[in-house]
Amino acid sequence: MANLVNLSSKSDVVGAIASILCFLHCLAAPFLFVVQAGLVAGEGSHPWWWGTLDMGFLAISLLAVYWSAKKTTKGWVKVGFWGLWGVLALIILNEKMGIVHLMEQVIYLPTLGLVFLHFYNRQYCHCKDENCCAEG
């Protein structure tokens, strides 16, 4: 339980790192698919583990958003965290289910938005104890 509390106090760092890795994952995908196409002619899919990274990043970012939104003192930051995470989740789920065709680049907007908010929230909320950033 102590590790969970420690991670919750560093949720902006974890969230920013997860968002950056998610962004890099999304940015690298087209290049990796081109390389794979050269290696495996006729196959139109990506490795199974590549698709699971999306859900892993989404789960990690959910925890980071939960703890960061819980601790922030600015209402608009809390709304921003949940709004951007919701948009990111919808884009990823849409991509998995193929409901609506979207440009691949749309995923960059909520991802970079989460990176920005985590950095902003970390800069804004310098706590000397656990109570200064509590909901208020």
Side-chain angles (χ1 to χ4, degrees):
M1 189 64 154
N3 286 338
L4 186 59
V5 172
N6 190 26
L7 277 179
S8 73
S9 68
K10 294 181 175 36
S11 60
D12 287 314
V13 173
V14 171
I17 290 170
S19 296
I20 290 168
L21 289 174
C22 180
F23 177 75
L24 293 175
H25 166 71
C26 295
L27 198 59
F31 299 109
L32 292 176
F33 294 155
V34 167
V35 169
Q36 183 186 9
L39 296 174
V40 183
E43 290 267 336
S45 65
H46 52 78
W48 66 269
W49 55 267
W50 188 259
T52 61
L53 287 177
D54 296 340
M55 300 311 282
F57 287 132
L58 193 60
I60 293 168
S61 68
L62 174 64
L63 293 173
V65 163
Y66 171 78
W67 287 109
S68 294
K70 185 176 178 180
K71 292 181 149 208
T72 191
T73 57
K74 290 193 172 186
W76 70 268
V77 172
K78 185 180 297 195
V79 170
F81 274 131
W82 286 114
L84 288 168
W85 187 87
V87 170
L88 180 63
L90 286 174
I91 290 170
I92 289 173
L93 292 175
N94 177 62
E95 182 179 298
K96 298 285 182 206
M97 293 187 241
I99 299 169
V100 177
H101 177 71
L102 298 172
M103 294 183 337
E104 295 288 327
Q105 294 81 2
V106 298
I107 200 163
Y108 300 156
L109 296 173
T111 304
L112 290 174
L114 284 170
V115 170
F116 169 77
L117 273 182
H118 280 296
F119 280 129
Y120 177 84
N121 199 48
R122 178 149 173 86
Q123 183 67 28
Y124 170 75
C125 191
H126 286 284
C127 299
K128 300 230 189 272
D129 61 30
E130 292 181 8
N131 298 323
C132 75
C133 295
E135 288 183 69

